[in-house]
Amino acid sequence: MMSNTRRLTVAQALVRFLSAQYTERDGVRHRLIAGTWGIFGHGNVAGIGQALVEYGDDMPFHQGRNEQSMVHAAVGYARQLNRLSAQAVTTSIGPGATNLVTGAALATINRLPVLLLPGDYFASHAPDPLLQQLEHPTEADVSVNDTLRPVSRYFDRITRPEALIPSALNAMRVLADPAETGAVTLALPQDVQAEAHDWPEEFFAERVWHVRRPAPDPYELAEAVAAIRAAERPLIVAGGGVHHSEAEDALKALVEATGIPVASTQAGKGSLRHDHPADLGGIGHTGTAVSNDIARTADLVIGVGTRYTDFTTASGTLFQNPDVRFVNLNITAFDAHKLSARTVVCDARAGLTALTEVLADHRVNPVHEAAYREGKERWELLVDAAYTAADENAVPTQTQVLGALDAVVGDDDVVINAAGSLPGDLHKLWRARSPRQYHLEYGYSCMGYEIPAAIGVQQAAPGTPVWSLVGDGTYLMMPTEIVTAVQEGLPVNLVLIQNHGYASIGGLSESVGGERFGTAYRHRSPADGSFTGAPLPVDLAANAGSLGMDVLRAKTVRELREALAAARASDRPTCVYVETDTAGPAAPPAEAWWDVPVAETATREAAVRAREEYDRQVADRRHHL
């Protein structure tokens, strides 16, 4: 072997390479791949598994229970650290690999980095077919890992040792690029993982990937400034890009210089602190009344780091001013061009800072400023009413659960949620006190994300109280990583809300003529087969306890507040379990529409009425050209 090479297996070389990769932004360096999650089988145990043993001092390892959950944990970790540090996930071939698909889709949709290392068939095809191999009659190079192609930002199958070098470098390039990042997949045939090769020493040298902050183009900046100066009723829509860019202070500076109000998407909530007079809260279908009122009459919408999903735009019905125009600051041209906007393709912080410098002498119309401040004050009274229980000894409603939690958390606590009725209540009501406090995964709205993501956040922010808010439907999807939290000694807090069914989809079903069919957890009636019997005798709190959590049961508002305080003070994984009053006051209703198509023809009255309402709402949809 030549002196400037090192003989290692492919798997060993990959682990050594990953341990030497770093990102840098604003002069601060971060480990790019800070650890590896894994579940081992015949497709990775002798390759990546052996390499992680060989180089355990360089690459921390975390044992998972479910492959999808491992990706969720890695995504939570990356989001907490503003995409500057990520984790890898390794699985066997077959079901272990295909279980990655949902997590990969979530990561890519949310523009969050994660490295996936699934095992694959033998590149040599020596044993063919082997256990868990998908056989295709005309394409012998297809494997189940090809399901990861459409949900990955970069994909390669490493069929020869020397192919790892360019592929690994490309993988790091994508993970560290704020405009390209998402799930990256390197499929690893199991025989190639174990094959030895003479690697150049330069491959293992420390490498720092600079995370760029592209400045706005002068022409695009001038166009944006002109549009803002001409606007009478401007509105900023803050998306997740504000957080990823650490642009919160830059946004605040622009707002305080100009008086332009800010409404936030699920990913962007917390871009301004909740008590800032220009923070209007959430926007869109799950938004606040004041945000949506201002959005309907806005003549200029300034999107910052947002993808403009249908929840944000109320399925194209929200921005109703006939003269409304859009200016979009986004690091990706793809998102910047949405809604036929004037584009400012740049880093969010760089773009906001540039706007503030030019607009230092500009202030919005005082009438506009007074209107949104009055609307904010009215909305805050509704939040107070939703949070407050008239009787401290009563069973809490879901919004009163949020009120009890609001009374307990500190400014730096992190609250995590993803699916069900909670995202809507949180987007409307939660008073975010810091940029990282509000952690909602709503790009994919994936049930089961909350518990593993809490583990990832806790790993990224040791000592920070982390709250995973989970309904009974979501809990039953993926509770397995509770065991991982116990094993790793991570004091995550689980708030488990029992309302005996899919509350969110049940309400949606009722509104579109589905009559809540199949959305409740109840016994099937022997008379007609409907799910209208008594609630199922399931004890989810006992289940959480059996997996190793400390469990605190709360039956009243007072007991709930005490249990939440005890959980926050604990140094162990703790579950606060509460059954909610589903008949009591709920959150304020949706202030904007969401398009879920309704049966065009039906005989049941509920569906007929729902279609009439659908036709009325869809008539307001417009294309912004």
Side-chain angles (χ1 to χ4, degrees):
M1 184 174 67
M2 296 174 60
S3 60
N4 61 343
T5 64
R6 190 185 313 185
R7 190 162 183 81
L8 300 173
T9 69
V10 168
Q12 292 165 356
L14 178 58
V15 171
R16 287 290 299 118
F17 169 83
L18 294 178
S19 69
Q21 305 303 303
Y22 294 85
T23 63
E24 173 274 323
R25 187 169 71 182
D26 304 329
V28 180
R29 199 165 81 156
H30 305 263
R31 179 88 175 256
L32 177 49
I33 303 299
T36 298
W37 288 89
I39 296 176
F40 294 112
H42 67 91
N44 64 342
V45 66
I48 292 291
Q50 190 282 326
L52 288 169
V53 174
E54 190 92 6
Y55 296 108
D57 292 340
D58 300 319
M59 178 59 66
F61 174 73
H62 310 289
Q63 184 180 29
R65 269 75 197 171
N66 175 283
E67 292 86 358
Q68 178 181 321
S69 289
M70 293 193 297
V71 184
H72 292 338
V75 166
Y77 179 92
R79 176 171 171 175
Q80 181 67 20
L81 295 176
N82 297 321
R83 308 192 299 189
L84 296 171
S85 187
Q87 294 176 322
V89 178
T90 180
T91 71
S92 182
I93 69 170
T98 52
N99 281 350
L100 295 172
V101 174
T102 296
L106 181 149
T108 295
I109 286 170
N110 285 284
R111 319 297 211 256
L112 293 166
V114 61
L115 176 62
L116 308 179
L117 305 173
D120 214 322
Y121 56 61
F122 279 61
S124 66
H125 290 265
D128 186 40
L130 70 154
L131 179 65
Q132 299 179 323
Q133 180 179 340
L134 172 72
E135 292 184 272
H136 193 286
T138 60
E139 297 179 59
D141 63 340
V142 167
S143 83
V144 296
N145 285 333
D146 288 282
T147 60
L148 288 160
R149 288 182 184 272
V151 292
S152 297
R153 293 293 292 173
Y154 179 81
F155 179 99
D156 196 9
R157 180 176 286 114
I158 311 301
T159 56
R160 292 183 57 85
E162 57 269 32
L164 178 64
I165 293 177
S167 188
L169 291 169
N170 271 318
M172 299 303 103
R173 172 187 60 79
V174 173
L175 289 171
D177 188 331
E180 293 292 331
T181 197
V184 167
T185 300
L186 298 182
L188 302 171
Q190 52 189 300
D191 55 342
V192 176
Q193 288 182 51
E195 188 174 344
H197 183 71
D198 293 331
W199 305 91
E201 285 288 350
E202 293 86 350
F203 186 53
F204 308 117
E206 282 193 5
R207 189 179 299 266
V208 180
W209 300 84
H210 174 67
V211 180
R212 64 180 67 90
R213 287 193 182 277
D217 175 82
Y219 174 82
E220 291 189 333
L221 181 64
E223 289 282 294
V225 167
I228 294 170
R229 288 189 183 277
E232 290 291 322
R233 296 179 59 82
L235 171 68
I236 293 171
V237 175
V242 175
H243 294 311
H244 299 327
S245 178
E246 299 174 316
E248 298 88 359
D249 288 343
L251 175 64
K252 182 181 177 183
L254 176 65
V255 167
E256 293 184 347
T258 63
I260 302 174
V262 176
S264 54
T265 69
Q266 286 280 16
K269 193 173 171 75
S271 295
L272 282 185
R273 194 181 149 95
H274 75 92
D275 52 5
H276 193 286
D279 178 61
L280 307 185
I283 190 171
H285 179 63
T286 54
T288 68
V290 58
S291 282
N292 290 334
D293 285 346
I294 297 298
R296 288 187 182 96
T297 58
D299 57 354
L300 181 69
V301 178
I302 306 162
V304 184
T306 177
R307 297 188 300 124
Y308 285 113
T309 67
D310 59 343
F311 259 60
T312 297
T313 67
S315 298
T317 66
L318 183 57
F319 306 112
Q320 284 298 317
N321 188 322
D323 298 321
V324 67
R325 293 294 180 265
F326 297 83
V327 168
N328 290 337
L329 278 72
N330 206 293
I331 201 161
T332 69
F334 176 81
D335 289 319
H337 278 275
K338 289 177 178 175
L339 302 178
S340 301
R342 291 182 174 91
T343 63
V344 186
V345 180
C346 64
D347 169 77
R349 193 168 88 180
L352 290 168
T353 300
L355 284 175
T356 304
E357 291 172 354
V358 182
L359 292 168
D361 62 342
H362 177 75
R363 191 80 187 176
V364 299
N365 188 315
V367 175
H368 180 45
E369 193 166 0
Y372 73 68
R373 290 192 179 207
E374 290 170 8
K376 177 179 174 65
E377 290 174 2
R378 290 193 299 271
W379 183 258
E380 289 302 322
L381 295 176
L382 293 178
V383 176
D384 290 339
Y387 275 5
T388 305
D391 181 1
E392 290 279 297
N393 296 312
V395 175
T397 64
Q398 181 164 285
T399 59
Q400 289 164 2
V401 172
L402 300 184
L405 184 61
D406 176 76
V408 169
V409 300
D411 284 9
D412 294 326
D413 290 33
V414 180
V415 175
I416 300 172
N417 188 238
S421 58
L422 277 166
D425 290 356
L426 285 160
H427 199 205
K428 290 188 186 83
L429 304 175
W430 188 257
R431 291 164 166 161
R433 307 174 195 181
S434 61
R436 296 257 59 93
Q437 182 170 85
Y438 187 87
H439 184 125
L440 262 283
E441 188 289 298
Y442 217 60
Y444 210 41
S445 188
C446 185
M447 297 178 73
Y449 172 82
E450 296 90 339
I451 295 173
I455 291 171
V457 170
Q458 194 78 81
Q459 288 177 328
T464 299
V466 178
W467 302 87
S468 174
L469 274 57
V470 179
D472 52 310
T474 291
Y475 178 85
L476 287 168
M477 287 277 183
M478 204 166 291
T480 52
E481 297 314 304
I482 287 174
V483 178
T484 303
V486 173
Q487 181 181 35
E488 299 252 344
L490 298 172
V492 297
N493 296 311
L494 171 63
V495 182
L496 177 50
I497 301 172
Q498 172 67 276
N499 54 25
H500 301 287
Y502 298 119
S504 173
I505 208 68
L508 178 62
S509 172
E510 186 173 35
S511 72
V512 298
E515 302 178 44
R516 293 185 177 264
F517 177 75
T519 62
Y521 291 153
R522 294 181 178 273
H523 286 288
R524 185 186 290 271
S525 167
D528 60 5
S530 63
F531 296 95
T532 56
L536 297 175
V538 221
D539 190 341
L540 300 183
N543 179 262
S546 74
L547 296 177
M549 281 196 127
D550 292 343
V551 177
L552 304 172
R553 297 176 185 256
K555 295 182 179 180
T556 68
V557 174
R558 187 188 310 278
E559 290 178 1
L560 174 62
R561 192 175 295 113
E562 293 170 353
L564 292 170
R568 189 172 188 274
S570 175
D571 61 357
R572 278 190 37 79
T574 304
C575 170
V576 176
Y577 174 85
V578 59
E579 294 202 29
T580 54
D581 175 9
T582 57
E591 295 285 342
W593 187 58
W594 181 42
D595 189 350
V596 177
V598 177
E600 191 169 3
T601 181
T603 58
R604 297 181 70 88
E605 183 180 353
V608 172
R609 288 198 310 269
R611 181 66 195 197
E612 291 172 352
E613 175 63 15
Y614 179 85
D615 290 338
R616 186 181 72 80
Q617 295 281 3
V618 78
D620 290 332
R621 175 150 48 216
R622 60 184 294 198
H623 294 286
H624 298 282
L625 300 172

